[in-house]
Amino acid sequence: QQQVKQSPQSLIVQKGGISIINCAYENTAFDYFPWYQQFPGKGPALLIAIRPDVSEKKEGRFTISFNKSAKQFSLHIMDSQPGDSATYFCAATGGTNAGKSTFGDGTTLTVKP
Amino acid sequence: DTEVTQTPKHLVMGMTNKKSLKCEQHMGHRAMYWYKQKAKKPPELMFVYSYEKLSINESVPSRFSPECPNSSLLNLHLHALQPEDSALYLCASSQDDLGGTEAFFGQGTRLTVV
């Protein structure tokens, strides 16, 4: 049973546009929701993270929106740039085996110049 | 220093070989992880060490043997691997394994089993 569902699988956006990636979770014990950015051949790197007591967190061009009642969270990339082209994974931790990160399946973002 | 360093970056090994992957962090983190990642897939947890003790083994075949010699080092010993074990092997660390904090990932070891 997949505990974190991520969509879309792939996304193509023009330079300067807004990229939106959505995730939904099932386990209400999750209490930390990071987003990771991964470039080909590299390890995932933390982009931004949120806890469920906050509805929105913004860091530069990256914003997480969190809807606790709907058990959904999303990543918005404003003014998308070609250098943002990468695979993005949402994740969740908490509850039993709290250190274990449960990942979404990933979204491959391509930003066209 | 927020780095997790993995060596080697690339490894090609035969099915009868024995090799080891190494991981090192100096952030004072007490939880360390091994993940396996196939192309276009999310990282898949293999092992978790908490305070140098194995706390989670996700039913990984015995041909993969983890070792945590001290709080900064994590090894993954490989023996009699199969071609389907070819993947990117990622090491990560976090403050502890209680959740609620970010995991720092290394760059990975690209393993090819021939």
Side-chain angles (χ1 to χ4, degrees):
Chain A
Q1 183 184 18
Q2 186 177 21
Q3 295 196 57
V4 178
K5 293 185 180 179
Q6 182 172 347
S7 62
Q9 186 175 6
S10 62
L11 181 61
I12 299 174
V13 173
Q14 289 295 127
K15 179 182 175 182
I18 302 173
S19 303
I20 301 174
I21 304 170
N22 300 300
C23 283
Y25 64 98
E26 298 169 3
N27 187 347
T28 55
F30 287 146
D31 60 6
Y32 183 71
F33 301 88
W35 284 89
Y36 291 92
Q37 179 188 56
Q38 186 175 25
F39 294 104
K42 304 292 186 182
L46 180 72
L47 195 61
I48 187 172
I50 198 167
R51 299 182 193 281
D53 55 346
V54 176
S55 61
E56 185 174 282
K57 183 174 181 180
K58 183 176 181 179
E59 289 184 1
R61 296 184 294 109
F62 302 92
T63 300
I64 299 179
S65 297
F66 191 88
N67 186 329
K68 187 175 181 179
S69 61
K71 292 187 286 186
Q72 295 175 347
F73 58 110
S74 60
L75 175 69
H76 295 234
I77 305 174
M78 311 300 286
D79 187 26
S80 299
Q81 299 296 311
D84 297 330
S85 298
T87 299
Y88 293 81
F89 293 99
C90 62
T93 66
T96 305
N97 294 326
K100 173 180 175 179
S101 294
T102 300
F103 286 87
D105 282 344
T107 296
T108 301
L109 171 66
T110 302
V111 181
K112 290 191 174 294
Chain B
D1 181 6
T2 58
E3 272 198 7
V4 175
T5 304
Q6 289 186 243
T7 56
K9 287 186 168 46
H10 301 274
L11 178 62
V12 179
M13 61 184 290
M15 289 187 285
T16 59
N17 291 159
K18 285 185 180 180
K19 296 286 185 182
S20 297
L21 309 185
K22 298 185 182 301
C23 175
E24 189 169 4
Q25 58 88 15
H26 295 287
M27 294 177 277
H29 289 171
R30 302 317 299 269
M32 296 186 76
Y33 311 80
W34 279 115
Y35 285 86
K36 173 182 177 180
Q37 187 177 29
K38 290 282 204 177
K40 300 189 183 301
K41 294 291 187 183
E44 181 182 337
L45 184 67
M46 300 174 72
F47 303 103
V48 180
Y49 271 84
S50 175
Y51 290 82
E52 298 148 59
K53 292 193 184 326
L54 183 65
S55 62
I56 296 177
N57 176 341
E58 292 284 41
S59 302
V60 179
S62 60
R63 57 185 185 269
F64 296 91
S65 175
E67 177 196 20
C68 189
N70 60 54
S71 61
S72 299
L73 295 174
L74 187 65
N75 298 322
L76 185 63
H77 303 296
L78 314 173
H79 173 57
L81 295 192
Q82 303 298 309
E84 59 264 30
D85 296 321
S86 299
L88 181 67
Y89 287 84
L90 294 163
C91 174
S93 71
S94 63
Q95 187 172 338
D96 51 48
D97 69 340
L98 300 178
T101 59
E102 65 182 289
F104 290 82
F105 284 83
Q107 296 299 289
T109 294
R110 174 70 61 189
L111 174 67
T112 303
V113 181
V114 297

mmCIF file of all heavy atoms in Angstrom, chain A residues 5-21:
data_model
loop_
_atom_site.group_PDB
_atom_site.id
_atom_site.type_symbol
_atom_site.label_atom_id
_atom_site.label_comp_id
_atom_site.label_asym_id
_atom_site.label_seq_id
_atom_site.Cartn_x
_atom_site.Cartn_y
_atom_site.Cartn_z
ATOM 1 N N LYS A 5 1.259 9.418 -2.236
ATOM 2 C CA LYS A 5 0.995 9.419 -3.669
ATOM 3 C C LYS A 5 1.357 10.783 -4.238
ATOM 4 O O LYS A 5 0.902 11.809 -3.718
ATOM 5 C CB LYS A 5 -0.467 9.099 -3.952
ATOM 6 C CG LYS A 5 -0.847 7.680 -3.581
ATOM 7 C CD LYS A 5 -2.273 7.352 -3.974
ATOM 8 C CE LYS A 5 -2.621 5.918 -3.591
ATOM 9 N NZ LYS A 5 -4.012 5.563 -3.943
ATOM 10 N N GLN A 6 2.139 10.774 -5.303
ATOM 11 C CA GLN A 6 2.660 12.015 -5.891
ATOM 12 C C GLN A 6 2.202 12.132 -7.326
ATOM 13 O O GLN A 6 2.169 11.152 -8.069
ATOM 14 C CB GLN A 6 4.198 11.994 -5.823
ATOM 15 C CG GLN A 6 4.870 13.239 -6.350
ATOM 16 C CD GLN A 6 6.363 13.256 -6.083
ATOM 17 O OE1 GLN A 6 6.885 12.462 -5.303
ATOM 18 N NE2 GLN A 6 7.078 14.170 -6.714
ATOM 19 N N SER A 7 1.856 13.354 -7.724
ATOM 20 C CA SER A 7 1.458 13.605 -9.107
ATOM 21 C C SER A 7 1.845 15.024 -9.495
ATOM 22 O O SER A 7 1.945 15.914 -8.631
ATOM 23 C CB SER A 7 -0.061 13.414 -9.269
ATOM 24 O OG SER A 7 -0.762 14.349 -8.462
ATOM 25 N N PRO A 8 2.084 15.310 -10.785
ATOM 26 C CA PRO A 8 2.100 14.344 -11.872
ATOM 27 C C PRO A 8 3.415 13.574 -11.909
ATOM 28 O O PRO A 8 4.350 13.906 -11.191
ATOM 29 C CB PRO A 8 1.951 15.234 -13.104
ATOM 30 C CG PRO A 8 2.680 16.490 -12.727
ATOM 31 C CD PRO A 8 2.399 16.683 -11.254
ATOM 32 N N GLN A 9 3.502 12.581 -12.744
ATOM 33 C CA GLN A 9 4.733 11.811 -12.915
ATOM 34 C C GLN A 9 5.778 12.650 -13.642
ATOM 35 O O GLN A 9 6.967 12.555 -13.375
ATOM 36 C CB GLN A 9 4.429 10.542 -13.696
ATOM 37 C CG GLN A 9 5.592 9.578 -13.825
ATOM 38 C CD GLN A 9 5.192 8.288 -14.518
ATOM 39 O OE1 GLN A 9 4.067 8.146 -15.006
ATOM 40 N NE2 GLN A 9 6.091 7.336 -14.571
ATOM 41 N N SER A 10 5.329 13.450 -14.602
ATOM 42 C CA SER A 10 6.237 14.341 -15.316
ATOM 43 C C SER A 10 5.524 15.661 -15.589
ATOM 44 O O SER A 10 4.293 15.717 -15.653
ATOM 45 C CB SER A 10 6.721 13.704 -16.621
ATOM 46 O OG SER A 10 5.644 13.469 -17.483
ATOM 47 N N LEU A 11 6.330 16.710 -15.734
ATOM 48 C CA LEU A 11 5.792 18.055 -15.863
ATOM 49 C C LEU A 11 6.718 18.870 -16.746
ATOM 50 O O LEU A 11 7.939 18.861 -16.535
ATOM 51 C CB LEU A 11 5.688 18.678 -14.471
ATOM 52 C CG LEU A 11 5.134 20.076 -14.305
ATOM 53 C CD1 LEU A 11 3.693 20.146 -14.796
ATOM 54 C CD2 LEU A 11 5.206 20.496 -12.841
ATOM 55 N N ILE A 12 6.149 19.538 -17.729
ATOM 56 C CA ILE A 12 6.923 20.423 -18.590
ATOM 57 C C ILE A 12 6.364 21.832 -18.432
ATOM 58 O O ILE A 12 5.157 22.053 -18.576
ATOM 59 C CB ILE A 12 6.847 19.981 -20.066
ATOM 60 C CG1 ILE A 12 7.412 18.569 -20.228
ATOM 61 C CG2 ILE A 12 7.616 20.959 -20.956
ATOM 62 C CD1 ILE A 12 7.251 17.997 -21.627
ATOM 63 N N VAL A 13 7.248 22.771 -18.129
ATOM 64 C CA VAL A 13 6.840 24.145 -17.857
ATOM 65 C C VAL A 13 7.757 25.081 -18.643
ATOM 66 O O VAL A 13 8.950 24.788 -18.815
ATOM 67 C CB VAL A 13 6.942 24.437 -16.342
ATOM 68 C CG1 VAL A 13 6.704 25.895 -16.033
ATOM 69 C CG2 VAL A 13 5.961 23.570 -15.567
ATOM 70 N N GLN A 14 7.205 26.182 -19.100
ATOM 71 C CA GLN A 14 8.038 27.179 -19.753
ATOM 72 C C GLN A 14 8.798 27.996 -18.699
ATOM 73 O O GLN A 14 8.308 28.200 -17.577
ATOM 74 C CB GLN A 14 7.175 28.126 -20.594
ATOM 75 C CG GLN A 14 6.590 27.489 -21.853
ATOM 76 C CD GLN A 14 7.660 27.094 -22.855
ATOM 77 O OE1 GLN A 14 7.706 25.956 -23.312
ATOM 78 N NE2 GLN A 14 8.526 28.036 -23.192
ATOM 79 N N LYS A 15 9.955 28.479 -19.103
ATOM 80 C CA LYS A 15 10.739 29.353 -18.229
ATOM 81 C C LYS A 15 9.885 30.516 -17.752
ATOM 82 O O LYS A 15 9.187 31.159 -18.547
ATOM 83 C CB LYS A 15 11.962 29.869 -18.987
ATOM 84 C CG LYS A 15 12.845 30.818 -18.187
ATOM 85 C CD LYS A 15 14.014 31.324 -19.017
ATOM 86 C CE LYS A 15 14.827 32.359 -18.249
ATOM 87 N NZ LYS A 15 15.944 32.896 -19.059
ATOM 88 N N GLY A 16 9.940 30.768 -16.459
ATOM 89 C CA GLY A 16 9.156 31.852 -15.877
ATOM 90 C C GLY A 16 7.790 31.416 -15.382
ATOM 91 O O GLY A 16 7.112 32.174 -14.678
ATOM 92 N N GLY A 17 7.388 30.209 -15.721
ATOM 93 C CA GLY A 17 6.085 29.706 -15.306
ATOM 94 C C GLY A 17 6.093 29.148 -13.889
ATOM 95 O O GLY A 17 7.114 29.133 -13.205
ATOM 96 N N ILE A 18 4.931 28.679 -13.451
ATOM 97 C CA ILE A 18 4.799 28.095 -12.121
ATOM 98 C C ILE A 18 4.707 26.571 -12.252
ATOM 99 O O ILE A 18 3.898 26.059 -13.026
ATOM 100 C CB ILE A 18 3.544 28.622 -11.408
ATOM 101 C CG1 ILE A 18 3.589 30.144 -11.293
ATOM 102 C CG2 ILE A 18 3.416 27.995 -10.011
ATOM 103 C CD1 ILE A 18 2.308 30.759 -10.741
ATOM 104 N N SER A 19 5.532 25.870 -11.502
ATOM 105 C CA SER A 19 5.488 24.400 -11.472
ATOM 106 C C SER A 19 4.772 23.995 -10.184
ATOM 107 O O SER A 19 5.088 24.515 -9.108
ATOM 108 C CB SER A 19 6.899 23.825 -11.478
ATOM 109 O OG SER A 19 7.636 24.265 -12.602
ATOM 110 N N ILE A 20 3.822 23.083 -10.315
ATOM 111 C CA ILE A 20 3.076 22.626 -9.145
ATOM 112 C C ILE A 20 3.097 21.106 -9.095
ATOM 113 O O ILE A 20 2.743 20.438 -10.072
ATOM 114 C CB ILE A 20 1.617 23.120 -9.175
ATOM 115 C CG1 ILE A 20 1.570 24.649 -9.229
ATOM 116 C CG2 ILE A 20 0.861 22.611 -7.936
ATOM 117 C CD1 ILE A 20 0.177 25.216 -9.405
ATOM 118 N N ILE A 21 3.540 20.579 -7.965
ATOM 119 C CA ILE A 21 3.598 19.134 -7.757
ATOM 120 C C ILE A 21 2.786 18.817 -6.494
ATOM 121 O O ILE A 21 2.925 19.510 -5.481
ATOM 122 C CB ILE A 21 5.045 18.650 -7.591
ATOM 123 C CG1 ILE A 21 5.893 19.067 -8.801
ATOM 124 C CG2 ILE A 21 5.091 17.125 -7.421
ATOM 125 C CD1 ILE A 21 7.389 18.834 -8.626
#
